[in-house]
Amino acid sequence: MKHFGKSIFLFILSNCALVFANDLDLIFDTGSVAETVITVNKEDWDTLCQNYKGKEQVKAQIEFHKKICTSKNGENNSVSVDFNLQNIGIRFRGNTSRKIPISKETGKPYQRHFAIDFTEFQNQNNQMLPENLKGFDLKCFKGDGNFCREILSYNFLRECGVWTAPRAGYTHLTLKIQDGNTSKIFDYGIYSMIEEVNTSFLIDRTKNNQFESSKGNLFKCFWPAKLNLEKGKLKGSVGVEENSYTLKNHKKEIQTATTDLESFVTVLETNDYNSFQKLTDTDLLLRTLAAEIIVGNWDNYWINGNNFYIYFDKCKKNPGQKFYLIPFDLDNTLGSSWANNDPSNSSPECWFNNNLAKMLLSKPYNVKKLHKYLLEFSGPKSLCSRENAAEKILQYQKMIEPYINTQDIDFENESYTINHFEDIVHPGSRYQEIKLLSGDSKTNFFEAKRESILNFINSQDSKIINIKK
């Protein structure tokens, strides 16, 4: 037990013969629901609600508890994770979902997404903080009647060997608004808890010998971040605040970071595969492409030039930098889509119209490997087979059912927050017929996706990918 003043970070192992390699795997484990209690001073809460579209954080306290039960060789084991942190930062997050957080009619709060930052108001090297975790995102299940899409998608990517994908699990969220000696307690219901892509993310994967260094440049990318040039210049703005390519660290080195980004895009534009191969992990990129095709993620780099991170790892063994694509924001998956192409029934070729895919698939051996991963990751042993996905979703729903219909929250049509299970896609999606737990070969997402992959691989034109610019 580590006890540092008012902050506690505690692991309790009972009859435990099981060794966990990474503490973060416990925190984000999907086998149980964490309890997260956030306490905010009323004055700070009022300020936050008035400025809900801003990025300024207010001070808060977080209490976190999670118990994971496991079984190995017939022996039951349990692991608990607890921490209590003062002076964390909290703010609302999101894009189109960032709406007024309190009902004018009832005075009750609406479910909204939150960003939690453990280090906003204290030293990042504070030993009271959980190792390799400086915060996380809390997201409500907006428009997801199955309460699973983002969590299932992130965990599927990680199951496919995409270790750059953030971890994701469930938490029950309680918010306490402190006003002097009294407090109002609001049960916010069930939330997804998602690992943030930040310096801690880089450090964790460096300690796990995945990145060589945590000192490289990290970009957060939004539309139109297609990694392409327009009239000889990078298309999309580059900067340190609200850009298509926003540098999240080393902000004083923006000029050097921009040059490195432009140099990599030039390699893509000139079809320099030898340089591309040295600068990337092609197998990881192929795994990422295959997995994102299978979950039907359209609001990403491959289709929309949106919602991803880029990390340029500073390599020690081979001097230079290595490019990594980090998937991010996977809530528009598993059939929920505003895209023109149905993400369940469309051919995988819809994900190929970009510089990365064109470079990767310019080599027949990469095409062959992509086919292998598409078949394997959508096959009968995969988490995204119809049978296995349904089993996992029903497990999730049984686990979270006590938390979805809280009386403290106003559920609203405008933001599509929901308080019951229903096998539907987001009400704003173009493809309302898509189901996860029911449907036929065209309307069940997993069955339709498998069929579209088989049709693509069996087709003659899939053997050679057209890479014309």
Side-chain angles (χ1 to χ4, degrees), residues 322-345:
K322 201 163 190 176
F323 167 93
Y324 287 94
L325 181 75
I326 300 173
F328 167 70
D329 207 4
L330 271 62
D331 50 356
N332 287 317
T333 55
L334 305 183
S336 282
S337 173
W338 287 259
N340 291 326
N341 298 309
D342 178 355
S344 50
N345 288 287

Side-chain angles (χ1 to χ4, degrees), residues 71 93 96 99 142 203 233 260 268 346 356 445 452:
S71 178
R93 73 172 301 279
T96 58
K99 301 178 185 294
K142 180 172 67 94
I203 292 172
K233 294 183 179 181
D260 293 339
L268 296 178
S346 294
L356 269 184
F445 175 83
S452 71

Side-chain angles (χ1 to χ4, degrees), residues 2-179:
K2 297 181 181 178
H3 188 174
F4 302 91
K6 293 184 178 179
S7 296
I8 300 174
F9 189 34
L10 172 66
F11 289 85
I12 303 174
L13 286 76
S14 305
N15 300 323
C16 188
L18 187 63
V19 178
F20 289 87
N22 194 310
D23 298 338
L24 296 185
D25 292 335
L26 300 179
I27 292 173
F28 293 97
D29 182 85
T30 58
S32 63
V33 178
E35 287 287 343
T36 302
V37 180
I38 296 175
T39 303
V40 187
N41 179 276
K42 183 180 185 302
E43 185 177 346
D44 289 333
W45 175 249
D46 291 343
T47 298
L48 193 65
C49 289
Q50 289 168 10
N51 303 314
Y52 62 91
K53 290 188 176 181
K55 289 198 171 184
E56 185 176 349
Q57 302 184 44
V58 300
K59 285 186 179 181
Q61 174 186 345
I62 186 170
E63 300 170 66
F64 181 92
H65 170 75
K66 186 164 189 175
K67 183 176 181 180
I68 304 98
C69 297
T70 63
S71 178
K72 186 177 182 181
N73 299 326
E75 185 177 8
N76 293 325
N77 309 297
S78 65
V79 182
S80 293
V81 182
D82 294 81
F83 56 84
N84 183 332
L85 298 170
Q86 305 282 350
N87 296 326
I88 67 161
I90 182 173
R91 65 173 176 85
F92 294 105
R93 73 172 301 279
N95 186 10
T96 58
S97 62
R98 200 184 294 204
K99 301 178 185 294
I100 187 169
I102 304 292
S103 169
K104 293 180 179 179
E105 286 75 23
T106 67
K108 288 184 177 182
Y110 295 126
Q111 282 187 329
R112 293 291 183 258
H113 303 328
F114 295 98
I116 307 300
D117 186 344
F118 298 163
T119 64
E120 175 69 10
F121 299 106
Q122 54 187 301
N123 192 318
Q124 294 191 23
N125 297 320
N126 189 342
Q127 292 186 358
M128 300 178 186
L129 301 176
E131 186 179 12
N132 300 343
L133 186 67
K134 299 298 186 286
F136 43 66
D137 290 333
L138 296 173
K139 297 180 69 175
C140 59
F141 292 88
K142 180 172 67 94
D144 182 3
N146 286 294
F147 289 76
C148 73
R149 280 178 166 81
E150 192 155 24
I151 289 177
L152 188 69
S153 295
Y154 274 124
N155 283 280
F156 172 71
L157 262 65
R158 292 180 62 80
E159 182 183 88
C160 294
V162 184
W163 50 264
T164 47
R167 297 170 175 88
Y170 287 99
T171 190
H172 173 223
L173 177 63
T174 301
L175 195 69
K176 292 183 179 180
I177 311 301
Q178 195 76 36
D179 187 5

Side-chain angles (χ1 to χ4, degrees), residues 238-243 245-248 250-252 254:
V238 184
V240 296
E241 293 291 341
E242 302 296 332
N243 299 97
Y245 302 91
T246 301
L247 185 64
K248 301 300 290 183
H250 312 307
K251 294 188 177 184
K252 292 182 180 179
I254 181 62

